[in-house]
Amino acid sequence: MPIKVQSNLPAIKVLESENIFVMPNEVALRQDIRPLKILILNLMPTKITTETQLLRLLGNSPLQVDIELLQMASHTSKNTSPHHLTTFYKTFDQVKDDRFDGLIITGAPVEQIAFEEVDYWDELCEIMDWADSNVYSTFHICWGAQAGLYYHYGIQKYQFDEKLSGVYSHRVLKPNHPLMRGFDDSFSIPHSRYTGVRSEDIRRHMGLEILAESEMAGPTVICNRTGRQVFITGHAEYDRETLANEYFRDLSRGIDIQVPYNYFPDDDASLTPPLVWRSTATLLYTNWLNYFVYQATPYDLNTLKKKPPKKKRK
């Protein structure tokens, strides 16, 4: 089944060329089914690229998915045109009275800044608190996962000596968990960050489970016991060239950075990196949509139980 988006979203042409079924709003209105409502809070600077990456994965399932894109009102994007943002994105004030089956909170290149010093931190806390009562399951990515673990559980992030960048091997710890169904014993996905969380901090919380971890990249797939909070510390959604683009960008800025680990053949940055994580990413997002959104969310989203407001972490 298709993903449902605005008919002129730039990602549509790319996805249709990959045989991913994208349905304009006007066509979807003629179908007599309730699509899953997914809200994407896109914090990445390369917003159009991130839209395409996520829509590709959300569209590769038998479920019809209705997408809304969300931006921060308290932050001015320097890398995406105002026209694109005003045309395709909403602010929190425009969606806060709605309810959604799922929410995706992307990463952001702010991991070296203290959470409370990020210019949109207060707004993000408001959204994460709102999601407890207005979203059935929230999928956090990279810095978004660190922010969610800190806000909900007080789990700190730790600075690395150098950037963690590359494609890392992970082992599945809970093969019978719904999110891990169909996974091989080990899998690879990219990571790109300067900070991380520690397994021992996560295991102190009885409500959290580490489903997969990497010897080099640390805990990677984390879920709370209800499945309503999923935290992915890597970037399964990345394209083949994403790490390369980040590497060459950092070099052009004069940043002393290592070649991404296990990425370019023979560590030769002139060669095309192999894409070895696409099927893993597809399975991960399909499992989330199926087991923690489609099968678990109530048909009438108005029946989601409200929770008392969470006190903001200072």
Side-chain angles (χ1 to χ4, degrees):
M1 292 293 285
I3 47 175
K4 182 162 75 75
V5 295
Q6 288 181 239
S7 59
N8 54 342
L9 187 72
I12 288 179
K13 289 184 178 179
V14 176
L15 298 175
E16 287 181 337
S17 72
E18 298 175 7
N19 294 318
I20 292 176
F21 191 5
V22 181
M23 177 182 290
N25 285 331
E26 55 270 22
V27 176
L29 288 172
R30 297 197 293 267
Q31 293 197 334
D32 189 22
I33 61 175
R34 183 177 90 71
L36 297 177
K37 294 179 61 179
I38 305 295
L39 183 66
I40 300 176
L41 174 55
N42 191 352
L43 304 175
M44 292 290 279
T46 53
K47 289 192 172 13
I48 295 175
T49 298
T50 302
E51 293 160 16
T52 306
Q53 291 170 347
L54 292 174
L55 293 178
R56 175 185 294 118
L57 295 169
L58 295 172
N60 199 14
S61 83
L63 306 170
Q64 182 175 316
V65 182
D66 187 353
I67 302 294
E68 291 278 10
L69 298 172
L70 185 65
Q71 63 169 317
M72 288 298 199
S74 53
H75 176 78
T76 301
S77 177
K78 299 177 182 178
N79 299 282
T80 306
S81 72
H83 174 73
H84 183 84
L85 292 173
T86 56
T87 302
F88 299 111
Y89 281 74
K90 293 182 178 179
T91 63
F92 180 55
D93 281 345
Q94 294 174 294
V95 303
K96 65 182 181 182
D97 293 330
D98 296 333
R99 294 189 174 187
F100 294 85
D101 298 285
L103 166 66
I104 296 175
I105 301 176
T106 73
V110 296
E111 67 266 27
Q112 297 188 86
I113 305 173
F115 290 118
E116 293 84 359
E117 294 179 8
V118 174
D119 61 0
Y120 50 78
W121 178 249
D122 287 344
E123 185 179 4
L124 178 58
C125 290
E126 185 179 5
I127 292 170
M128 289 190 291
D129 183 63
W130 165 87
D132 279 346
S133 302
N134 293 272
V135 175
Y136 191 81
S137 184
T138 301
F139 192 102
H140 309 71
I141 301 171
C142 197
W143 181 82
Q146 295 179 23
L149 288 168
Y150 176 70
Y151 177 72
H152 293 292
Y153 301 97
I155 293 172
Q156 298 287 339
K157 62 180 180 178
Y158 297 89
Q159 183 81 27
F160 297 145
D161 293 334
E162 60 183 27
K163 185 176 184 179
L164 182 80
S165 176
V167 179
Y168 297 89
S169 178
H170 308 74
R171 59 191 182 97
V172 174
L173 304 182
K174 306 278 186 178
N176 293 324
H177 191 279
L179 201 61
M180 296 286 96
R181 286 181 186 168
F183 272 72
D184 294 327
D185 290 343
S186 63
F187 63 90
S188 296
I189 63 168
H191 289 258
S192 178
R193 49 191 165 88
Y194 287 93
T195 59
V197 294
R198 295 176 178 172
S199 297
E200 56 267 30
D201 293 343
I202 296 169
R203 290 192 170 99
R204 291 191 186 103
H205 292 269
M206 297 299 295
L208 294 174
E209 293 182 281
I210 300 175
L211 307 183
E213 66 180 358
S214 165
E215 183 176 341
M216 298 180 69
T220 298
V221 181
I222 304 148
C223 189
N224 76 342
R225 299 286 177 175
T226 66
R228 293 189 65 178
Q229 293 173 335
V230 174
F231 307 93
I232 310 296
T233 62
H235 282 286
E237 80 283 359
Y238 268 11
D239 293 324
R240 181 194 306 272
E241 301 289 347
T242 306
L243 285 178
N245 293 337
E246 293 179 353
Y247 172 66
F248 295 131
R249 176 204 63 199
D250 289 348
L251 287 180
S252 70
R253 294 174 177 175
I255 299 174
D256 184 14
I257 188 171
Q258 299 294 319
V259 174
Y261 172 79
N262 193 32
Y263 179 58
F264 294 111
D266 299 322
D267 286 341
D268 185 344
S270 68
L271 299 178
T272 301
L275 182 58
V276 298
W277 60 89
R278 177 62 58 79
S279 59
T280 293
T282 298
L283 185 57
L284 178 64
Y285 279 78
T286 300
N287 281 352
W288 175 64
L289 280 176
N290 183 30
Y291 295 113
F292 294 125
V293 181
Y294 174 68
Q295 292 194 29
T297 190
Y299 184 84
D300 182 359
L301 289 174
N302 290 319
T303 63
L304 280 176
K305 294 181 179 179
K306 285 190 173 293
K307 298 180 181 178
K310 189 188 303 289
K311 185 179 180 181
K312 290 183 180 178
R313 194 175 297 278
K314 300 295 185 181

